[in-house]
Amino acid sequence: MTSIHMRSVLYCRVSTTDQNVEVQVTALREYARRRGWQVAGEYVDLGVSGSKERRPALDRLMADARRRAMDAVVVFRFDRFARSVSHLARALDEFRALGIEFVSLHEAIDTSTPMGRAMFHIAGAFAELEREIIRERVKAGLANAKRRGRKVGRPRAIVNVGKVR
């Protein structure tokens, strides 16, 4: 398919509602423009964790992909799209079966090439490893604080129960 007829969609996500997706959207629009790709849609999830596979905009994107409404999905970083290798792999397999390319701008990964597909899997594995290391460090820090007698977690809520009649 020629660049002129390539229908791309952009996917952006931020974890909290006080974050802004403009940096992502602007970079993705510029990338599509440089490639000569038509931007057929923009899907944005605001305030949604990447660890959740079900997200409103991502769910719409996947439904549109199944209707073959696009030729390429472009993301700022693949951790904006998914956090686990298994989720990445399933989406990549589905895109491949549908004839849809996947591009991650930050990692310069383009699944239209064999090297791009391999690098996508390798980078995804490292992102998942990093997430697991952070989780282990947090757990260890909490356990250490408990051993030293510190209270951890949210402060207890004071609830006025009153008399029940």
Side-chain angles (χ1 to χ4, degrees):
M1 178 163 296
T2 63
S3 292
I4 295 294
H5 298 100
M6 184 71 98
R7 297 166 302 156
S8 64
V9 298
L10 316 178
Y11 177 77
C12 303
R13 180 189 61 78
V14 290
S15 300
T16 61
T17 54
D18 63 335
Q19 293 175 311
N20 190 319
V21 294
E22 276 309 306
V23 170
Q24 293 178 48
V25 172
T26 301
L28 297 178
R29 287 175 184 157
E30 176 60 22
Y31 177 83
R33 187 192 63 74
R34 282 194 321 268
R35 294 282 307 257
W37 292 356
Q38 169 195 354
V39 176
E42 295 180 357
Y43 300 81
V44 178
D45 277 314
L46 297 172
V48 183
S49 171
S51 63
K52 295 181 180 188
E53 287 190 28
R54 300 298 311 260
R55 295 175 236 150
L58 181 60
D59 292 347
R60 285 192 313 276
L61 184 152
M62 295 306 291
D64 289 347
R66 291 175 190 116
R67 291 195 326 268
R68 291 180 168 78
M70 67 208 58
D71 301 306
V73 174
V74 185
V75 300
F76 188 69
R77 297 174 56 119
F78 62 78
D79 70 351
R80 300 291 86 198
F81 183 78
R83 286 279 176 94
S84 75
V85 173
S86 63
H87 182 212
L88 287 170
R90 284 192 309 277
L92 184 61
D93 286 343
E94 186 165 358
F95 289 151
R96 185 175 19 250
L98 295 168
I100 297 171
E101 302 303 338
F102 185 88
V103 176
S104 176
L105 191 60
H106 186 264
E107 290 85 7
I109 294 172
D110 181 345
T111 62
S112 65
T113 67
M115 184 60 77
R117 285 189 294 276
M119 291 305 295
F120 182 81
H121 285 290
I122 292 167
F126 278 108
E128 187 172 356
L129 173 64
E130 180 181 25
R131 186 168 175 238
E132 291 301 318
I133 288 171
I134 290 168
R135 180 182 292 149
E136 287 177 6
R137 286 179 184 160
V138 168
K139 283 182 177 179
L142 290 172
N144 189 35
K146 283 182 182 179
R147 276 194 301 276
R148 294 191 330 230
R150 286 206 158 136
K151 291 191 179 216
V152 296
R154 293 182 181 164
R156 289 188 176 253
I158 299 172
V159 179
N160 185 0
V161 178
K163 288 189 174 183
V164 178
R165 291 182 184 211

